[in-house]
Amino acid sequence: MTDLPVYTVADLEAEPRFEVDAFANDDAVALGLFGIEVIRERGLDLAVRVVLRGDAVFVAKLGSTGPGNDPWLAGKAAVAERFGEPSLLVRRRHEEAGTPFDERDDVDHDVFRAHGGSVPILVDGEVVGTITMSGEPDVLDHAASAEAVRHYLAAR
């Protein structure tokens, strides 16, 4: 197995935000297809889901992923949507503060899962959706989602 990437809060804050002036269903599909390219290039075993305004516009489950990934896809996306930041950044901020996210009593931990893999999509500063990946260690899930975002933004 390859060495897992290590992300600090500073590393994650330095990543470009996924902010665009418009994002529609066709954009969600294009982003999802970039996600599939990244998954295949890296030889990963991941599910990818792109949600726009509460609607799962794009879902693909590659390799051995399946229904067991659904709660993870939804939980990571719920974190990215609520906090407006990548789910891994939310987790790392809590770890750095010494207050693990899993110990928060103001969130339903069956709904919110602060593990890497989800990146919020912003239009005019508002979270309108997410791209989320699940199936590998969460730092790989994040790396794949972030790379799909970079490919999408570069192609615009």
Side-chain angles (χ1 to χ4, degrees), residues 48-109:
V48 56
R49 184 175 82 155
V50 182
V51 172
L52 178 58
R53 292 183 176 83
D55 183 25
V57 176
F58 184 93
V59 178
K61 296 178 180 177
L62 284 72
S64 66
T65 61
N69 295 95
D70 292 342
W72 288 98
L73 291 164
K76 294 174 186 188
V79 168
E81 187 174 325
R82 176 171 175 179
F83 293 93
E85 298 182 322
S87 53
L88 185 60
L89 177 55
V90 172
R91 179 173 140 208
R92 290 288 189 253
R93 285 189 196 285
H94 279 80
E95 289 170 350
E96 191 174 87
T99 56
F101 187 88
D102 292 345
E103 294 177 11
R104 286 182 70 142
D105 58 8
D106 64 334
V107 295
D108 180 344
H109 295 285

Side-chain angles (χ1 to χ4, degrees), residues 17-40:
R17 288 172 53 97
F18 188 171
E19 186 148 12
V20 291
D21 55 6
F23 196 84
N25 284 359
D26 289 349
D27 301 305
V29 171
L31 177 59
L33 292 173
F34 279 118
I36 288 176
E37 281 182 29
V38 169
I39 292 166
R40 288 187 171 146

